[in-house]
Amino acid sequence: DAKTTQPPSMDCAEGRAANLPCNHSTISGNEYVYWYRQIHSQGPQYIIHGLKNNETNEMASLIITEDRKSSTLILPHATLRDTAVYYCIVRVSGYRDDKIIFGKGTRLHILP
Amino acid sequence: DAGVIQSPRHEVTEMGQEVTLRCKPISGHDYLFWYRQTMMRGLELLIYFNNNVPIDDSGMPEDRFSAKMPNASFSTLKIQPSEPRDSAVYFCASSTPGLAASNEQFFGPGTRLTVL
């Protein structure tokens, strides 16, 4: 079972910031928070990940609460191309890989 | 790099037929994953390989499914015999943890399988 809880769907106006929440209350100390997204009919795409500090890259920002039990993915200026299902995942990172357990994710609709 | 390559992109077959899906991972990646996606069950991991060796096949639904990775640049997922409930989109992904700080998995475009 997925270790995360996300709202099933959200709407956001084009040009506004999209804030996608995720709860991961059982996260372990060595587990990272990862975000992927899946645009219709395509394979999932990595967005960002973090351990406990806030992270930012060219796609998004990730805000992780101090107790690490929840996080928020921020798309600063949403466009229609950001319409997708967004998956929040917790997993160990490092020199070995293992399975990613995808939950149901949040279906984000960007409204024109 | 061309990314993860999957073939065919679409496959329509009749119940009872053998189906073979193919995947070419990104060059240099040492992990390969097979996922299946349906509306009912979402995206689920079937099996993954490390250096061509199967590590975890606990997600393979039953004996009708088999996967091989004969070399670092090629993997197959075979269904024999196929059934209508196998209809889904099958994704292949590859990764190279330790060399990429993100430890991200790169997904292919998927194969949409329809079993009539």
Side-chain angles (χ1 to χ4, degrees):
Chain A
D1 291 337
K3 301 180 182 179
T4 62
T5 303
Q6 300 177 251
S9 66
M10 292 182 62
D11 292 337
C12 179
E14 187 177 19
R16 305 298 292 270
N19 296 277
L20 292 89
C22 179
N23 287 322
H24 31 79
S25 59
T26 61
I27 192 170
S28 301
N30 64 344
E31 288 183 315
Y32 288 69
V33 180
Y34 275 76
W35 284 83
Y36 279 73
R37 75 179 181 182
Q38 186 174 24
I39 296 171
H40 181 62
S41 298
Q42 297 181 21
Q45 174 193 24
Y46 165 84
I47 301 173
I48 198 168
H49 79 291
L51 183 62
K52 51 185 175 182
N53 296 323
N54 298 338
E55 302 287 344
T56 295
N57 63 20
E58 65 279 4
M59 290 182 67
S61 295
L62 174 60
I63 308 299
I64 303 174
T65 58
E66 192 169 344
D67 63 6
R68 302 209 322 123
K69 293 185 177 182
S70 65
S71 61
T72 301
L73 177 74
I74 301 173
L75 308 178
H77 305 287
T79 71
L80 296 177
R81 289 176 294 181
D82 293 320
T83 293
V85 177
Y86 288 77
Y87 297 98
C88 172
I89 298 153
V90 295
R91 60 191 287 242
V92 176
S93 181
Y95 289 89
R96 292 180 59 249
D97 209 340
D98 66 12
K99 59 180 71 176
I100 293 178
I101 307 298
F102 285 88
K104 296 188 181 300
T106 295
R107 187 172 296 275
L108 177 65
H109 300 275
I110 305 301
L111 307 175
Chain B
D1 198 318
V4 176
I5 299 172
Q6 293 187 244
S7 65
R9 294 293 309 277
H10 301 274
E11 177 80 29
V12 180
T13 190
E14 294 188 344
M15 182 174 62
Q17 296 298 306
E18 177 179 296
V19 176
T20 299
L21 311 181
R22 298 172 176 80
C23 175
K24 176 179 170 56
I26 293 173
S27 177
H29 282 193
D30 51 359
Y31 279 81
L32 184 140
F33 304 80
W34 282 101
Y35 292 86
R36 177 175 67 175
Q37 187 171 35
T38 62
M39 288 294 292
M40 290 295 294
R41 301 177 64 88
L43 194 60
E44 50 184 349
L45 177 70
L46 300 177
I47 184 172
Y48 75 95
F49 296 82
N50 176 219
N51 291 321
N52 313 336
V53 176
I55 302 300
D56 186 342
D57 64 354
S58 59
M60 295 286 263
E62 49 197 275
D63 292 345
R64 298 184 298 106
F65 285 69
S66 62
K68 294 182 179 179
M69 192 165 186
N71 57 62
S73 59
F74 182 66
S75 177
T76 59
L77 178 67
K78 185 176 295 186
I79 307 172
Q80 167 62 20
S82 58
E83 297 182 2
R85 59 190 169 127
D86 301 330
S87 297
V89 180
Y90 291 81
F91 290 103
C92 177
S94 70
S95 71
T96 181
L99 294 181
S102 67
N103 194 18
E104 64 182 283
Q105 292 184 9
F106 294 82
F107 283 76
T111 295
R112 181 174 296 277
L113 173 65
T114 303
V115 183
L116 303 175

